[in-house]
Structures are given as structure tokens and as C-alpha cells.
């Protein structure tokens, strides 16, 4: 009989039927069903989950997200004691007898295993330097379940057959224990994790892994630091000269990282007879540090996996790149000083790091981690050593990027949970309060509880709503381009605000996303491989952000999609320049319709705007004030020149008609929101806000966040109802306050909840 027989709270579940949980595609997107009933997928986690469970219960949240490290119950080779987790489940059930659980399972090897098998460890190209790294400090353990803040330096290689084999044995044993326990009636599923913080960032990624014997045996060729860091074509790799390095990264991410995730997902379903859901952290295409080793660069494999029901990630962390600002501030500017947007805090976008439309098209429910601090946490401590202890200075990095006022806290919560509601996703509140200086939950105040309860109750509307995309604009990306772009180590140390980032992640992915969120209209984010013929009618404007490395079949597919579609496509930098065999400028010209010349001498990546935009107030200059190569100039016959390189004067931003669609070439990034809005208007897109506001929406719900003060007009495709005022209209004239969040639902005979989360 399981050891949990000693806990009456667990034994009381014995007569309950086994859990049945699944993700179904209904009314426009993936939804969570628990025991056959649709359930709003909002969960709660806290560093002191037992302490905070009663607060989540007051909010209405009964699904909890405990974090369990398998190292705690793996006592010796082949010997396991999973009753170590029973006290936690029993205590949570005491606090909330209605609780359900979606545990995060960490495939952490115990200390004795790592000591016994040192030959199975990750081996890095770079030596560990404790003076220059803030992650690898003393471990701060959670009192519950095994969550740790901090990372050991002796982790096993994911290429290790021994680690794979023995971790599988441990995980199967754990699942069998739960399946034989009354807890099987309350476990909704599992979120499987390994790597840094369980997020499948390869262990020791910032020290350039993995040249271990296991990895060399699995992949054969393993490049050294010089081969990784030195691209032969400036910002790009020449496939004709660097095919081995490109192939290594493909196999590293596909054959090692992604296949490991799939293996444990299949084990989850096998041991639970597919009664419950399985998910994972993955798909951080935006804001992924150390991306060549620590990234998630095999998304198609994971998205196509039937055993994975949901994908999770934290949302945006991008910190400011303005030198005089503090680390916890999140305003981002380009090289000409144009404000691109703000990632976190009041009027921040809280942008998702995954490509949400791709997840929906593959039937995966998305769960963002909502971890902004509240006013209950004292103001952040500077990292310059002027305040607090070393641990306090390090731990404050995970909090303090919310607001220090009640009003600001409520605005941010409305933004975060309003976005969950409007975009048809789920998520969990991630509460670090008990481990920081508050020593209590971030949510332990009546105004916060009331706000969260009201926002949770909005989820009832979801059960009748259409959560399909309503966007006319899409940003399109390709993960495999990172196999052929310059390594992040070549940029290290990166200037202010870009810790361990490569050039394209910093400017084309993350900073450009800040401006895309401020376009003032809904924008879909998806991988190139998820474009389909129906998108010819759906989208009026595509931003082709990093489609640099494409096969000939990829190019033919794009040409077929675009021909006579009437769409506008904005091509960033070097679309289709790189094939698996060569650098192919001719193919690039054939795809986008421009005559292009490649300049191999470094030049400034700033563009001077030449278009006479009148009332559009376009910036005079935008881009990156750095010398980079290659750059591309546009031949000026039969094109409309919109901008020129600030250094050299050649056309670098231009528009032309091509094969029944409108092609725009843009030689740099990031382009500010004003440029994007100008292009959207020219493409015939409806801008929902007259200002560069944050607009997130699906067919039946929307939120609008003001990013400036003053009057604005918000226009919807049909009649919508303001959840606060109950007024119904297609067009609203609003007096916006910076950071103010307005939540709307499409007007129909359905009743909208009365609680507003104010």
C-alpha cells in the first residue's frame, strides 16, 4: 500500500474516480477540460505554496502548480521513495480540499549520482568564471518539493545514455507511485522539465557546452569555440564553408534536446494511459539567451508531438538598454534613440516569448508564467552593492519589475490576466514573495485578491467565446536561421541590456517585438512552416523577420503562397540569402523581387527615412548604430525608396509591386512602431487604436493598454462592450491614462460578468 496511507487528506480521495484531463480544440482554439468540463486554465504557484494556497482559493483558483524535483525521492541506484512528496500534497489539500494539481517535474539527478558518475557530466568549452556570472551562486532551496534558485556546475549531459536510462527508470517509478495512489484523482497532468530551471535551456549554456564524450559519440563532429564564434560572412555563416557547424547545431537541438523532451512526454502518456495532460517549457523564440546552445531551435518536432498538450514559458523580461536607467526598468530604444516600447511594468506589453499562433495551429494550449511583483514587495535593490545582502541583491532580480504602488500593481495584473483572457490562453500566477523581503505572498492584500478574483471570473465568458485569431497582421520567424547566424559569444560582452545575447536576438527578435506589440492592432506570431494557403485571405501584412536560411523547397512554398495574393510582405535584412549549400544572392532577388547588392565592408545599420509621411510623424532615422556586415542595397529602378543607409546613402528601405503582391525590403531592425503603423496603413490593415497602443485580441475579446496620455479612438471590427462601463459600440473615444487597461468583449446576447477586476 502506498506510504500516503498515513495522510487522511489523501486517503479521503480514495473513492474519487481517476482524473480525466485533456486539451480539446473547440471554438477557435485549445481548451482545458477536467473530468469532461471546460475549465479556465489559470493556476497558482508560490515559493511557499502551502502558505499561499488559501489566497488562491479566495481568488477562485483551485488548480495548483507544485514543483517536484525527482532528485528528492531518488535515494540510491534503483531505489526510490516518492512518499517524500506526500506531506506537500496533504498540506495543500488541508488548505483547499477542492485542489487539483499540475506538478512541474524536474529531471534533476541527485548529488550522489553526479558524484558517482563524473564522466557523464556536461563539459564546456569555456571555463567557469564566478566573478562574471550571477546565476551560479549558492543554491537557495525551496522548502517545498525541490525547486531551487541557483544552478549546480556538475550537471549530466543530455547525451548521456546512463542519464537517459536511469532518469527514465526514476520517472516511471514516480508515475507508477502516483497512479497507485488516491492522488490520481487530483493530478491533472505533468509539466516535464530539465536543463536550467527545468526550462530545457541546456545545462551550463553560457559556458558553451557540450564537448563531453557522450555528445561526441552521439553527434560525431563537435565544434570548438573558434568554429562556433567566428562566422565567415560577418553576421552570417557561409554554408559552403561552415556546413559542419550548421549541421552540428541542427542535430544538437533536434536529436539531443527535442528528442529528450519527446521521450519523456511519451513516458508520461504511457504510464497514465493518456488520461491526463502533458506539457513542457519550450519554444522561446523571443528573449532566449545563449540561443545557439541554450535555445529551443527544433520547434516543429515538439509542436508535432501528439503527447504534448501544452507549452509554457515566462513572458518578457527584456531589460532597458538606456545606460542611465536601473536594471529593473524595461524601456527599450533603438540606435537612434527612438522609443520601441516597454516589456514589463506599467504600460509594458508583457509580451509572450513563444509564437502563439503556431501553438494554436498545432493544438497546444499556452500557459504563460505571470511573475510580476506587487506593491507588497519593497523597491528593488541596486546591483552595485549599495544596498542589502548579496543574496537579497540577487533574489530581487526575480521580483520588483511590477509596481511599488497599489494602483500600478492593479494595472499590471489587469494587463497580465486581461491578456490571458483576451488571447485565449491560460497561465499561472508565480509568487516569489515568501522567499523575498516580504516573506509573504505577493497577493496577500484584499485589493489584490479582489482584483484577481474579478479577473478570474471573466474566464466564464471564455466557455462561450470564439478564441480564434482576428489579426490581419502576422510576424513570421524561422528557428533554423540561428544555425547559420553569428554566435552569441561573438557579441560578448554585449552592451547595456543584452546579457548573453546574439545580434539578431537582441535587435530583430526582442527589441523589434516591443514595437510590434505597440502597432495598435492585433498581431499573430508564428513560424514560417505554419503559413498556409488560407493565410492569403487572412493576412494583409506579413513581417518576415529572420527568414535568412531557407531550402529551395521553402522558397518555392513562399513564392506559391504569395503569388497574386495581394498581400504586403516586409522582408528584413537577408531573406533566403542562405541555402543549405551556399550563399545565393540570386535566389534572394528572385523571392522578394528586388535587385540587391551585397556590401561586405562593415557599415552603420542605421537607416535615414526619406518618405514624405506628413501626419505619420515617422522618425528621421532608425535601426542600430553599430558597424556590421554584410549590408544590402536596393537597385533603384522601378521601386519606391522609403529610406537610405545613413552611412553610404544606398537604398535600404524600399517598396515595389511583385507578382501580384507588394514587396517591402527593410535592411535593418528594429523599426519603431511609427514605421510599422505606416506600413500597415499602406497594406490596408485596420489599426484598432489611433495611437501606438497595445492591442491584444481574439474574435470575441480584446484588451487595449494605453502607452501614452491623451485622447484616442479605438475601433473594433464589430460591436464590442467595455467590461468596465458596460457601454456598447464599434468605436470608442477614450481619454487614455498611461498604462490604463481596458477590457472588451464582443457584444451579443451572451451575458458578460459584472466583476471588472478594478
Amino acid at each position: 500500500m502506498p506510504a500516503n496511507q498515513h495522510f487522511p487528506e489523501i486517503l479521503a480521495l480514495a473513492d474519487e474516480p481517476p482524473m480525466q484531463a485533456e486539451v480539446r480544440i473547440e471554438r477557435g482554439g485549445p481548451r482545458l477540460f477536467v473530468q469532461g468540463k471546460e475549465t479556465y486554465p489559470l493556476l497558482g504557484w508560490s515559493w511557499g505554496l502551502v502558505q499561499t494556497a488559501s489566497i488562491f482559493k479566495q481568488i477562485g483558483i483551485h488548480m495548483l502548480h507544485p514543483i517536484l524535483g525527482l532528485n528528492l525521492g531518488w535515494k540510491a541506484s534503483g531505489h526510490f521513495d516518492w512518499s517524500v512528496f506526500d506531506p506537500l500534497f496533504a498540506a495543500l489539500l488541508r488548505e483547499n480540499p477542492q485542489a487539483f494539481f499540475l506538478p512541474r517535474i524536474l529531471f534533476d539527478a541527485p548529488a550522489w549520482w553526479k558524484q558517482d558518475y563524473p564522466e557523464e557530466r556536461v563539459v564546456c568549452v569555456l571555463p567557469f568564471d564566478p566573478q562574471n556570472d550571477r546565476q551560479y551562486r549558492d543554491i537557495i532551496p525551496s522548502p517545498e518539493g525541490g525547486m531551487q534558485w541557483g544552478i549546480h556546475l556538475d550537471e549530466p549531459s543530455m547525451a548521456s545514455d546512463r542519464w537517459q536510462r536511469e532518469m527514465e527508470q526514476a520517472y516511471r517509478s514516480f508515475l507508477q507511485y502516483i497512479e497507485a495512489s488516491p492522488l490520481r484523482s487530483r493530478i491533472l497532468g505533468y509539466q516535464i522539465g530539465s536543463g536550467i530551471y527545468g526550462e530545457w535551456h541546456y545545462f551550463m549554456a553560457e559556458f558553451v557546452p557540450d564537448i563531453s564524450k557522450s555528445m561526441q559519440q552521439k553527434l560525431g563532429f563537435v565544434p570548438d569555440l573558434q568554429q562556433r564564434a567566428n562566422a565567415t560572412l560577418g553576421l552570417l555563416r557561409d554554408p559552403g564553408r561552415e556546413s559542419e557547424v550548421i549541421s552540428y547545431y541542427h542535430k544538437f537541438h533536434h536529436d539531443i534536446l527535442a528528442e529528450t523532451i519527446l521521450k519523456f512526454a511519451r513516458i508520461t502518456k504511457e504510464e497514465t494511459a493518456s488520461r491526463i495532460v502533458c506539457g513542457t517549457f519550450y519554444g522561446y523564440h523571443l528573449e532566449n539567451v545563449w540561443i545557439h546552445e541554450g535555445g529551443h531551435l527544433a520547434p516543429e518536432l515538439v509542436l508535432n508531438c501528439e503527447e504534448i498538450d501544452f507549452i509554457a514559458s515566462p513572458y518578457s523580461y527584456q531589460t532597458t538598454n538606456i545606460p542611465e536607467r536601473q536594471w529593473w526598468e524595461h524601456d527599450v530604444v533603438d540606435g537612434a534613440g527612438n522609443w520601441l516600447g516597454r516589456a514589463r511594468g506599467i504600460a509594458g506589453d508583457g509580451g509572450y516569448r513563444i509564437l502563439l499562433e503556431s501553438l494554436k495551429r498545432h493544438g497546444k494550449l499556452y500557459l504563460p508564467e505571470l511573475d510580476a511583483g506587487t506593491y507588497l514587495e519593497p523597491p528593488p535593490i541596486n546591483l552595485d552593492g549599495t544596498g542589502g545582502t548579496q543574496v537579497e541583491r540577487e533574489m530581487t532580480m526575480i521580483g520588483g519589475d511590477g509596481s511599488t504602488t497599489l494602483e500600478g500593481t492593479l494595472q499590471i495584473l489587469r494587463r497580465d490576466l486581461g491578456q490571458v483572457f483576451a488571447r485565449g490562453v491560460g497561465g499561472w500566477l508565480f509568487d516569489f514573495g515568501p522567499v523575498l523581503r516580504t516573506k509573504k505572498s505577493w497577493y496577500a492584500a484584499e485589493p489584490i485578491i479582489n482584483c484577481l478574483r474579478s479577473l478570474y471570473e471573466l474566464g466564464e465568458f471564455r466557455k462561450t467565446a470564439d478564441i480564434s485569431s482576428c489579426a490581419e497582421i502576422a510576424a513570421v520567424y524561422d528557428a533554423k536561421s540561428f544555425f547559420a547566424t553569428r554566435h552569441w559569444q561573438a557579441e560578448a560582452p554585449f552592451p547595456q541590456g543584452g546579457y548573453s545575447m546574439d545580434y539578431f536576438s537582441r535587435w530583430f527578435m526582442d527589441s523589434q517585438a516591443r514595437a510590434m506589440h505597440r502597432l495598435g492592432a492585433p498581431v499573430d506570431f508564428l513560424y514560417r512552416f505554419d503559413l498556409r494557403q488560407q493565410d492569403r485571405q487572412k493576412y494583409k501584412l506579413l513581417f518576415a523577420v529572420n527568414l535568412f536560411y531557407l531550402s529551395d523547397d521553402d522558397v518555392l512554398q513562399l513564392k506559391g503562397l504569395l503569388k497574386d495574393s495581394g498581400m504586403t510582405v516586409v522582408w528584413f535584412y537577408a531573406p533566403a540569402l542562405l541555402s543549405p549549400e551556399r550563399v545565393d544572392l540570386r535566389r534572394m532577388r528572385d523571392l522578394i523581387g528586388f535587385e540587391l547588392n551585397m556590401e561586405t565592408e562593415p557599415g552603420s545599420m542605421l537607416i535615414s527615412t526619406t518618405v514624405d509621411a506628413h501626419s505619420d510623424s515617422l522618425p528621421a532615422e532608425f535601426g542600430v548604430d553599430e558597424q556590421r556586415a554584410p549590408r544590402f542595397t536596393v537597385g533603384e529602378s522601378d521601386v519606391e525608396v522609403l529610406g537610405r543607409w545613413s552611412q553610404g546613402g544606398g537604398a535600404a528601405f524600399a517598396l515595389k509591386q511583385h507578382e501580384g503582391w507588394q514587396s517591402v525590403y527593410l535592411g535593418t531592425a528594429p523599426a519603431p512602431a511609427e514605421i510599422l503603423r505606416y506600413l500597415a496603413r499602406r497594406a490596408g490593415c485596420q489599426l484598432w487604436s489611433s495611437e501606438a497602443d497595445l492591442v491584444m485580441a481574439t474574435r470575441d475579446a480584446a484588451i487595449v493598454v494605453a502607452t501614452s496620455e491623451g485622447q484616442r479612438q479605438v475601433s473594433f471590427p464589430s460591436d464590442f462592450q467595455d467590461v468596465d462601463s458596460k457601454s456598447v459600440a464599434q468605436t470608442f473615444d477614450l481619454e487614455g491614462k498611461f498604462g490604463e487597461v481596458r477590457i472588451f468583449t464582443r457584444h451579443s446576447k451572451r451575458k458578460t460578468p459584472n466583476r471588472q477586476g478594478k
Side-chain angles (χ1 to χ4, degrees), residues 699-720:
R699 290 286 177 191
D700 282 357
I703 68 166
V704 178
V705 183
T707 66
S708 60
E709 299 280 343
Q711 193 75 18
R712 69 245 301 118
Q713 188 174 82
V714 176
S715 299
F716 296 100
S718 61
D719 283 351
F720 270 62

Side-chain angles (χ1 to χ4, degrees), residues 32 34 39-44 61-65 99-101 188:
L32 177 65
V34 177
T39 302
Y40 194 48
L42 192 62
L43 300 91
I61 295 174
H62 300 291
M63 294 188 294
L64 303 178
H65 186 53
F100 293 91
F101 307 106
L188 301 166

Side-chain angles (χ1 to χ4, degrees), residues 503-567:
Y503 182 86
F504 291 107
S505 290
R506 169 70 186 279
W507 294 116
F508 284 65
M509 307 295 115
D510 307 347
S511 300
Q512 185 63 79
R514 302 283 76 77
M516 285 180 176
H517 290 306
R518 292 182 56 244
L519 215 154
V523 180
D524 283 345
F525 291 75
L526 71 160
Y527 292 104
R528 178 204 53 78
F529 56 71
D530 282 323
L531 285 172
R532 55 197 185 189
Q533 285 298 308
Q534 302 95 300
D535 292 329
R536 290 163 56 92
Q537 289 76 45
K538 176 174 174 52
Y539 297 122
K540 295 180 179 178
L541 176 62
L542 298 180
F543 294 109
V545 182
N546 73 327
L547 275 56
F548 311 149
Y549 180 63
L550 301 176
S551 70
D552 289 343
D553 286 343
D554 296 336
V555 173
L556 285 174
Q557 183 184 38
L558 283 169
K559 286 174 66 67
L561 176 75
L562 297 175
K563 186 174 176 59
D564 297 324
S565 67
M567 286 195 283

Side-chain angles (χ1 to χ4, degrees), residues 334 338-340 512 515 518 619 621-623 670-677:
D334 73 356
N338 301 302
W339 185 54
L340 300 172
Q512 185 63 79
R518 292 182 56 244
E621 196 173 44
F622 66 93
E674 293 76 13
I675 295 287
L676 305 184
R677 285 168 63 83

